[in-house]
Amino acid sequence: MTFENIPYKIYLSEQELPKAWYNLRADMKTKPAPLLNPGTGEPMGFRDLRGVFCDELIRQELDNGTAEIPIPREIQDFYRMYRPSPLVRAYCLEEKLGTPAKIYYKFEGGNTSGSHKLNSAIAQAYYAKKQGLKGVTTETGAGQWGTALSMACAYLGLECRVYMVKVSYEQKPFRREVMRTYGASVTPSPSMETEAGRKILAGRPGTTGSLGCAISEAVEAAAATPGCRYVLGSVLNQVLLHQSVIGLETKAALDKYGVVPDIIIGCAGGGSNLGGLIAPFMGEKLRGERDYRIIAVEPASCPSFTRGRFAYDFCDTGMVCPLAKMYTLGSGFIPSADHAGGLRYHGMSPVLSQLYHDGLMEAVSVTQTRVFEAAELFARAEGILPAPESSHAIRAALDEALKCKETGEEKTIVFGLTGTGYFDMTAYEKFHSGEMTDYIPTDGELQAGFDKLPRVPGLD
Amino acid sequence: MTFENIPYKIYLSEQELPKAWYNLRADMKTKPAPLLNPGTGEPMGFRDLRGVFCDELIRQELDNGTAEIPIPREIQDFYRMYRPSPLVRAYCLEEKLGTPAKIYYKFEGGNTSGSHKLNSAIAQAYYAKKQGLKGVTTETGAGQWGTALSMACAYLGLECRVYMVKVSYEQKPFRREVMRTYGASVTPSPSMETEAGRKILAGRPGTTGSLGCAISEAVEAAAATPGCRYVLGSVLNQVLLHQSVIGLETKAALDKYGVVPDIIIGCAGGGSNLGGLIAPFMGEKLRGERDYRIIAVEPASCPSFTRGRFAYDFCDTGMVCPLAKMYTLGSGFIPSADHAGGLRYHGMSPVLSQLYHDGLMEAVSVTQTRVFEAAELFARAEGILPAPESSHAIRAALDEALKCKETGEEKTIVFGLTGTGYFDMTAYEKFHSGEMTDYIPTDGELQAGFDKLPRVPGLD
């Protein structure tokens, strides 16, 4: 094995941790489109959103101009408990592949929540607490976000109510139990607890749920509970803002060793990890300072970027949320039940959607058996058992590294390893036993979703 | 919260990683007693052990004189993939307890195996590979050791066959699946595959297994398979030697900030984590350079230190292994089925047994409901979901910190947080639902085990 003058893991000191989040929107020439009121088609302002979101988070959501937003000291203190996360040089993986490419990954799975989600969970819980609220509600898909939020709420003494996509609730009983260890209440979604849930169940009695359904239920529950607000683990501008800590640390660590990446890769469900990882790099690109290839990787079974429409759509299945302009498969889209990993949201962050639309980044979709092949190869080489979500990024990084092997190019590839797969062993078992299949939705199926895209008053 | 000039987490740089293991035995005035041949009562030498263990590991097992044993470069490279592990100052826990004590924990759960076991797994697998062997067999209890060994074997391309204590095999299907992800074969023990297993099952048809049973099966399987040797995750001198990397890093990190601990605490099953953590501190104590309180913590349901006998006993239930002089409950001892955590071995490392016998360390036992109370409190304060094993050390650390609260003493407490509890959610669930009970063996039950201690030819 050849070692350069670069350690396996680049750690920043606590002093080098970011003191402010970076708001990518400040540098975007075309800003992400505003959230719209589905009834009137009017952009939603601070007052319109107050019933659902915490005040300070609405301010962050709507702020397209401030580039640096200071991280409150209390959140910095919490970050210091598990950050900086290491930036790892994948020497073993490079050797196994026999590639001249230099591969780095930013590993966000080293905290108990097992993923990057904690970066935004603590911020959202902090602002809820500061506003004097009693608790928050949320949805969770594979369970990473719910776990992270439960931890943050336990730390701050907030109530936490999680609507968990039913298929995950059943496939991941231990994930559920972790959330309960941190004191959260967990309900499989769709449930009979909310009007949205009852309506969805009446329409599709056997449904295994979707993030869109769970969001409808969580929003309804928040609105119905005094002293309670709704928080979301991805998609929103505020979440990407908090996740910028990933990219800021990555850039600082690379700068420390004079490394400049050629390609930056992240998996994309709602887009929070990718948006956070690429933020400072995309900022340089937007300001014309430097160019990078930036690649979003999504499941072939839930291909919002690569096969979706860039249009206004509901953020949720129950159609109780605002409309967001994004790449979407339609708010009624539910990935096939054989889809084992996360990344199952029907839409995509409006910020990333706009950047993709403007040609500033690329997107690829990958089938899940290829994703698990990459996961296993990575686990055996690098010793980290990756989450299926993260393994989408691994797959794309391997593909790029193998291209370098063919061409002999020594490209530097950085990818986001968002989390660990400890709670995903059912999916791994399916892969090992050969029972995993690859379902790719047909054009007709996708068209059915597009046909139901909402008509926006004043826009149509 | 008051912060001193000490970061949450003290990381060493890769350059500061230990280059040699520290062999505590070199500084012991009374050496640990040798392994004996159960038939003849003669000390077992290199040749006697070659059929079961790898050559280099036997040399390490028998070497009571060399203080520093260089870590081969290949193992150092592997260590760099997940080490140094952080030494964390538990500011949040201290605040929650309102104690003037300063609490540090060395966190070994940050790698995929989820525990400190990887430190010895890679060493043992490396020497097996270097000797040209095809594979290794082993036992595993809660699954940490089996997982670690599977990872190490995957990395080096060795076959790995794991006999897993049946109760864990059934309670932890996902743990089993992780081992399979790394390519290991996993068999519930006792099994019908080996003579030892069949004999144990004939005698106790409904048994849920024990580490002692699984060891017998793994040793038999190794002896019966050409190119195969047996490796063990704890108890043996060689394992404590490898685990000294924990203590060496801990001491280096504390020294860096001029911190001198008053109390050092570790959980103890077979003793490998504790023996590794305390090694350099105990060395100073043995050499008369400095004094520390050193506390072993064990389950009240498997109390080898606090209620066992210091005597020669079989290392395994099937009585195919050598005799070791250690604190033991008798090789037939099986903890009550309601015992949820690990640390279920009937004996204790001969090195630690000798040190305890010589009054150089203390031991306490704790009941499991108090252990899970501590685990939950710790999780909510520090954000890490601890393994039940590790939570024994947390319990004792909390108890010491609470004593400081009463007396006002500002003691510095260091404990080993050996691993994460991601695969122990069944036990957490039991605790949450109030179904967890505390079984403490009666004197009569223990006496039955002592009555069956082997008679050693020439010693009795």
Side-chain angles (χ1 to χ4, degrees):
Chain A
M1 206 172 294
T2 349
F3 293 108
E4 296 168 36
N5 200 13
I6 288 176
Y8 267 106
K9 288 179 296 184
I10 309 176
Y11 279 115
L12 301 173
S13 70
E14 287 185 9
Q15 289 71 38
E16 292 170 295
L17 276 175
K19 305 278 184 298
W21 292 302
Y22 167 57
N23 182 6
L24 180 56
R25 284 166 283 159
D27 283 314
M28 288 172 72
K29 264 138 236 142
T30 314
K31 307 293 179 191
L35 296 173
L36 298 187
N37 179 316
T40 64
E42 291 295 311
M44 294 186 83
F46 184 75
R47 282 164 186 277
D48 306 308
L49 295 166
R50 285 193 77 185
V52 175
F53 294 122
C54 304
D55 293 355
E56 189 57 34
L57 292 167
I58 301 173
R59 284 186 201 105
Q60 295 180 354
E61 189 65 27
L62 299 176
D63 186 345
N64 287 341
T66 315
E68 295 213 333
I69 295 182
I71 305 174
R73 208 186 58 83
E74 293 86 344
I75 299 176
Q76 287 190 44
D77 285 347
F78 188 87
Y79 279 170
R80 285 213 292 264
M81 290 172 64
Y82 70 100
R83 307 202 67 84
S85 70
L87 181 74
V88 185
R89 172 72 184 265
Y91 283 113
C92 298
L93 184 65
E94 291 170 19
E95 197 193 26
K96 200 154 194 168
L97 297 174
T99 177
K102 297 170 201 316
I103 307 174
Y104 293 83
Y105 54 91
K106 178 70 168 169
F107 179 44
E108 291 287 320
N111 64 76
T112 286
S113 85
S115 81
H116 67 293
K117 296 283 186 181
L118 196 53
N119 303 329
S120 185
I122 186 61
Q124 297 193 46
Y126 167 78
Y127 290 118
K129 182 77 180 178
K130 212 181 155 199
Q131 195 177 321
L133 298 173
K134 263 177 50 194
V136 292
T137 68
T138 200
E139 78 296 328
T140 200
Q144 292 183 334
W145 167 246
T147 305
L149 188 68
S150 310
M151 275 183 66
C153 287
Y155 178 78
L156 293 168
L158 279 174
E159 286 171 22
C160 180
R161 188 173 197 169
V162 181
Y163 291 86
M164 186 173 186
V165 174
K166 192 181 274 171
V167 61
S168 296
Y169 184 93
E170 285 161 5
Q171 280 180 2
K172 302 189 174 185
F174 293 168
R175 179 64 92 172
R176 187 179 75 206
E177 209 54 41
V178 174
M179 291 186 252
R180 287 181 178 150
T181 300
Y182 287 101
S185 82
V186 188
T187 306
S189 167
S191 77
M192 294 300 281
E193 274 183 17
T194 65
E195 206 185 305
R198 288 189 292 271
K199 219 160 120 186
I200 291 161
L201 282 170
R204 304 189 182 198
T207 181
T208 54
S210 73
L211 271 178
C213 300
I215 292 173
S216 301
E217 292 204 82
V219 169
E220 184 184 324
T225 314
C228 191
R229 291 292 185 286
Y230 165 72
V231 296
L232 180 66
S234 191
V235 183
L236 295 176
N237 300 341
Q238 58 188 268
V239 184
L240 268 74
L241 173 71
H242 306 148
Q243 295 295 358
S244 68
V245 70
I246 304 173
L248 292 167
E249 281 185 16
T250 303
K251 187 144 194 336
L254 290 171
D255 285 351
K256 205 164 164 172
Y257 287 88
V259 178
V260 179
D262 297 294
I263 309 174
I264 301 162
I265 298 172
C267 61
S272 77
N273 131 71
L274 179 66
L277 173 66
I278 67 172
F281 303 98
M282 183 61 88
E284 289 184 310
K285 193 164 169 165
L286 287 166
R287 296 189 302 270
E289 294 163 11
R290 198 167 241 157
D291 199 19
Y292 303 99
R293 267 187 76 199
I294 292 175
I295 307 175
V297 194
E298 60 184 13
S301 55
C302 190
S304 48
F305 260 146
T306 50
R307 296 177 68 200
R309 291 279 169 86
F310 188 43
Y312 264 107
D313 193 9
F314 286 99
C315 293
D316 65 324
T317 307
M319 304 184 189
V320 302
C321 287
L323 299 172
K325 191 168 181 194
M326 55 185 179
Y327 280 84
T328 179
L329 301 165
S331 65
F333 182 84
I334 295 181
S336 148
D338 80 333
H339 174 66
L343 309 177
R344 42 175 70 240
Y345 187 59
H346 67 273
M348 183 57 69
S349 142
V351 169
L352 295 184
S353 292
Q354 189 63 51
L355 292 166
Y356 180 62
H357 187 71
D358 292 343
L360 290 155
M361 52 183 285
E362 308 165 31
V364 294
S365 76
V366 287
T367 54
Q368 65 179 353
T369 49
R370 291 194 73 236
V371 166
F372 277 85
E373 273 167 31
E376 191 170 275
L377 190 149
F378 181 83
R380 293 183 182 187
E382 289 290 315
I384 292 173
L385 187 80
E389 291 86 341
S390 326
S391 304
H392 287 72
I394 298 175
R395 177 73 267 171
L398 293 188
D399 290 344
E400 290 297 331
L402 291 171
K403 274 185 222 161
C404 288
K405 190 178 179 177
E406 279 180 31
T407 62
E409 288 173 289
E410 291 189 25
K411 287 191 181 159
T412 296
I413 300 168
V414 174
F415 72 89
L417 189 70
T418 53
T420 48
Y422 299 106
F423 295 101
D424 302 289
M425 296 320 296
T426 308
Y428 273 93
E429 192 172 10
K430 234 173 152 181
F431 172 67
H432 292 140
S433 64
E435 286 165 36
M436 183 171 278
T437 54
D438 289 320
Y439 182 77
I440 299 176
T442 63
D443 288 340
E445 282 167 308
L446 293 185
Q447 189 58 51
F450 302 146
D451 290 343
K452 287 189 205 133
L453 284 174
R455 313 201 60 179
V456 183
L459 280 187
D460 286 314
Chain B
M1 206 173 293
T2 349
F3 293 108
E4 295 167 38
N5 201 12
I6 287 174
Y8 268 106
K9 290 178 296 185
I10 309 176
Y11 280 114
L12 302 171
S13 70
E14 286 184 9
Q15 289 71 36
E16 292 170 297
L17 277 175
K19 306 279 186 295
W21 292 302
Y22 167 58
N23 183 4
L24 181 55
R25 286 165 282 161
D27 283 314
M28 288 171 72
K29 265 135 234 146
T30 316
K31 306 291 181 191
L35 297 172
L36 297 187
N37 179 315
T40 65
E42 291 293 313
M44 294 186 82
F46 184 76
R47 283 164 185 278
D48 306 308
L49 295 166
R50 285 194 76 184
V52 175
F53 295 122
C54 306
D55 293 356
E56 189 57 34
L57 291 167
I58 301 172
R59 285 186 200 104
Q60 294 180 354
E61 189 65 26
L62 299 175
D63 185 344
N64 287 341
T66 314
E68 297 213 333
I69 296 182
I71 305 174
R73 207 185 58 83
E74 293 86 344
I75 299 177
Q76 286 190 44
D77 285 346
F78 189 87
Y79 278 171
R80 284 214 291 263
M81 288 172 64
Y82 70 99
R83 306 200 69 82
S85 71
L87 181 73
V88 184
R89 171 72 183 268
Y91 284 112
C92 299
L93 184 64
E94 291 170 18
E95 197 194 25
K96 200 154 193 168
L97 297 174
T99 176
K102 297 169 201 314
I103 308 173
Y104 294 83
Y105 53 92
K106 178 71 169 168
F107 180 45
E108 290 287 322
N111 64 77
T112 286
S113 83
S115 82
H116 66 293
K117 296 284 186 183
L118 195 54
N119 302 329
S120 185
I122 185 62
Q124 297 193 48
Y126 167 78
Y127 290 118
K129 182 78 181 179
K130 209 179 157 201
Q131 197 177 318
L133 298 173
K134 260 178 50 193
V136 291
T137 69
T138 200
E139 77 297 326
T140 200
Q144 292 182 335
W145 167 246
T147 304
L149 189 68
S150 310
M151 272 183 68
C153 288
Y155 178 78
L156 293 167
L158 279 173
E159 285 171 23
C160 180
R161 188 174 197 169
V162 181
Y163 290 87
M164 185 172 188
V165 175
K166 193 182 276 173
V167 61
S168 297
Y169 185 92
E170 285 162 4
Q171 280 179 2
K172 303 188 175 187
F174 293 168
R175 179 65 92 174
R176 187 179 77 205
E177 208 54 40
V178 174
M179 291 186 253
R180 287 180 178 151
T181 300
Y182 286 102
S185 82
V186 188
T187 307
S189 167
S191 77
M192 295 298 282
E193 274 183 18
T194 65
E195 206 184 305
R198 288 189 292 272
K199 221 160 118 187
I200 291 162
L201 281 171
R204 305 188 182 198
T207 182
T208 53
S210 73
L211 271 178
C213 301
I215 293 172
S216 302
E217 293 204 81
V219 169
E220 185 185 323
T225 313
C228 191
R229 290 293 185 285
Y230 164 72
V231 296
L232 180 65
S234 192
V235 184
L236 295 175
N237 302 341
Q238 59 189 265
V239 184
L240 268 75
L241 174 70
H242 306 147
Q243 294 296 357
S244 69
V245 71
I246 304 173
L248 292 166
E249 280 185 15
T250 302
K251 189 148 191 336
L254 289 171
D255 285 351
K256 205 165 166 173
Y257 287 87
V259 177
V260 180
D262 298 295
I263 310 173
I264 301 161
I265 298 171
C267 62
S272 77
N273 131 71
L274 180 66
L277 173 66
I278 67 173
F281 302 98
M282 183 61 89
E284 288 185 311
K285 192 165 171 165
L286 288 165
R287 295 189 303 270
E289 295 164 10
R290 198 166 242 158
D291 199 19
Y292 303 98
R293 270 187 74 200
I294 292 174
I295 308 175
V297 194
E298 60 184 15
S301 54
C302 191
S304 48
F305 260 146
T306 51
R307 298 177 67 199
R309 291 281 169 84
F310 188 45
Y312 265 107
D313 193 9
F314 287 100
C315 294
D316 66 323
T317 307
M319 304 185 186
V320 303
C321 288
L323 298 172
K325 191 169 180 196
M326 57 186 177
Y327 280 85
T328 179
L329 301 165
S331 65
F333 181 84
I334 295 182
S336 148
D338 80 333
H339 174 66
L343 310 176
R344 42 176 70 240
Y345 187 60
H346 67 274
M348 184 57 69
S349 141
V351 168
L352 294 185
S353 292
Q354 190 62 52
L355 292 167
Y356 180 63
H357 188 70
D358 293 343
L360 290 154
M361 51 184 283
E362 308 164 31
V364 295
S365 76
V366 286
T367 53
Q368 64 180 355
T369 49
R370 289 193 75 237
V371 167
F372 277 85
E373 271 166 30
E376 192 171 273
L377 190 149
F378 181 84
R380 293 184 183 187
E382 289 290 317
I384 293 172
L385 187 81
E389 291 85 340
S390 327
S391 304
H392 287 73
I394 297 175
R395 177 73 265 171
L398 293 188
D399 289 344
E400 291 296 331
L402 291 171
K403 275 186 221 162
C404 289
K405 190 178 176 176
E406 279 179 31
T407 63
E409 287 173 290
E410 292 189 23
K411 287 189 181 162
T412 296
I413 301 168
V414 174
F415 71 90
L417 188 72
T418 53
T420 48
Y422 300 105
F423 295 101
D424 302 289
M425 295 321 297
T426 308
Y428 272 93
E429 191 171 11
K430 235 174 152 178
F431 172 67
H432 291 140
S433 64
E435 287 164 36
M436 182 171 279
T437 54
D438 288 320
Y439 182 77
I440 300 175
T442 65
D443 287 341
E445 282 168 307
L446 293 185
Q447 189 57 50
F450 302 146
D451 290 343
K452 287 186 205 137
L453 284 173
R455 312 203 59 180
V456 183
L459 279 188
D460 288 311

